[in-house]
Amino acid sequence: MKNTELKVKDELQEESLFNGSLGRRSFLQFAGASAAGLALVAAGCKKDRGYIDTTMGATLDFKDDFGVLNYAYALEQLEAAFYIQVASAPPAAFTATQKAYFQDVQFHEIAHREFFKKALGTAAIGSLEVNFSSINFSDAGSVLATAKTFEDLGVAAYNGAGVRLTNTTYLVLAGQIVSVEARHAAYVRDQISNGTFADLGTLSAFGASDSNGLDGALTPDKVLALAGPFIKTKINVTNL
């Protein structure tokens, strides 16, 4: 157990773009998710299913649960890259609380990303190249608006992909992650406009229903179309 903790800590320090030491809470959040990832490996997810990253891009094959897990892995790569960049150089207009929030959330997303990478093992797609040219990372409004888009999209993506999972263990784990993404979405919405964290009416584009009190659920093709402008790597989809 001690060796595992040291390994996780090394990985965390490697990912950090800060000069100072990491907070205890961030480390525990990352370590907890990593432990869950190792449990998923033990459950039998680490198999060579032929998912490879080629010169033609990354392939998501939705013929089984592993395709869904790789789909989630792709989205978590996008979110992690975004939050790491924001946390490394937050907008000058950010308050101390907002800076602390983005520092914490970067480790949530790193944990989610590493969760899927370790769980999938040789079945994982490769690292995706992102395209953040449309984001002004020095402007608080641009950063918050992008964070809102990513979090709302992430919630809708997990909700929409859940029906494709046949293994109940994976389904429960996906539920645990999407609930965290929803917390992020609520916080960011309140930073943009206080008191709007529960306003589902503004989420119609993501499939939310204010009248039924339900969050959005989008199919992978719709999610990938919305995420596409932020990803340089070509995403090939089969058996959707």
Side-chain angles (χ1 to χ4, degrees):
M1 180 64 180
K2 191 171 183 179
N3 289 336
T4 300
E5 291 177 350
L6 289 173
K7 183 178 180 182
V8 169
K9 187 173 182 179
D10 288 342
E11 290 170 348
L12 185 61
Q13 290 174 331
E14 198 172 277
E15 288 288 353
S16 175
L17 299 181
F18 298 99
N19 294 324
S21 61
L22 298 173
R24 181 173 180 273
R25 183 173 67 165
S26 293
F27 170 74
L28 291 176
Q29 288 165 340
F30 183 86
S34 295
L38 293 175
L40 185 56
V41 171
C45 183
K46 189 176 181 181
K47 298 180 181 178
D48 187 353
R49 303 290 294 182
Y51 295 95
I52 56 175
D53 191 23
T54 69
T55 55
M56 297 301 292
T59 298
L60 301 177
D61 188 344
F62 285 90
K63 68 181 179 181
D64 55 25
D65 284 3
F66 299 97
V68 180
L69 297 179
N70 261 315
Y71 166 59
Y73 176 42
L75 296 176
E76 294 298 349
Q77 286 190 53
L78 177 63
E79 285 192 291
F82 168 72
Y83 280 104
I84 288 172
Q85 188 160 337
V86 175
S88 67
F94 266 14
T95 65
T97 299
Q98 289 173 325
K99 291 177 182 178
Y101 165 80
F102 275 85
Q103 287 184 19
D104 272 350
V105 175
Q106 75 162 327
F107 293 115
H108 291 177
E109 303 303 350
I110 289 171
H112 293 169
R113 185 195 67 196
E114 293 305 297
F115 170 95
F116 288 110
K117 181 179 180 180
K118 291 179 180 178
L120 285 161
T122 57
I125 59 172
S127 297
L128 302 181
E129 187 178 1
V130 298
N131 176 18
F132 292 153
S133 59
S134 64
I135 306 170
N136 182 356
F137 283 94
S138 65
D139 179 72
S142 178
V143 169
L144 288 172
T146 305
K148 173 177 171 290
T149 296
F150 284 169
E151 296 300 349
D152 288 344
L153 187 61
V155 171
Y158 275 100
N159 287 343
V163 69
R164 296 175 177 272
L165 290 170
T166 60
N167 186 305
T168 55
T169 298
Y170 304 158
L171 184 58
V172 170
L173 291 168
Q176 291 176 308
I177 292 177
V178 73
S179 63
V180 174
E181 302 291 356
R183 291 169 187 258
H184 297 168
Y187 176 86
V188 171
R189 284 179 162 278
D190 256 19
Q191 297 307 299
I192 295 174
S193 181
N194 187 43
T196 63
F197 68 95
D199 185 3
L200 294 177
T202 60
L203 283 166
S204 58
F206 296 93
S209 173
D210 199 26
S211 60
N212 294 326
L214 298 176
D215 233 325
L218 295 181
T219 54
D221 57 321
K222 293 180 179 179
V223 171
L224 292 172
L226 291 169
F230 300 100
I231 302 174
K232 285 185 180 180
T233 305
K234 180 182 178 182
I235 303 294
N236 304 299
V237 177
T238 61
N239 295 307
L240 185 59

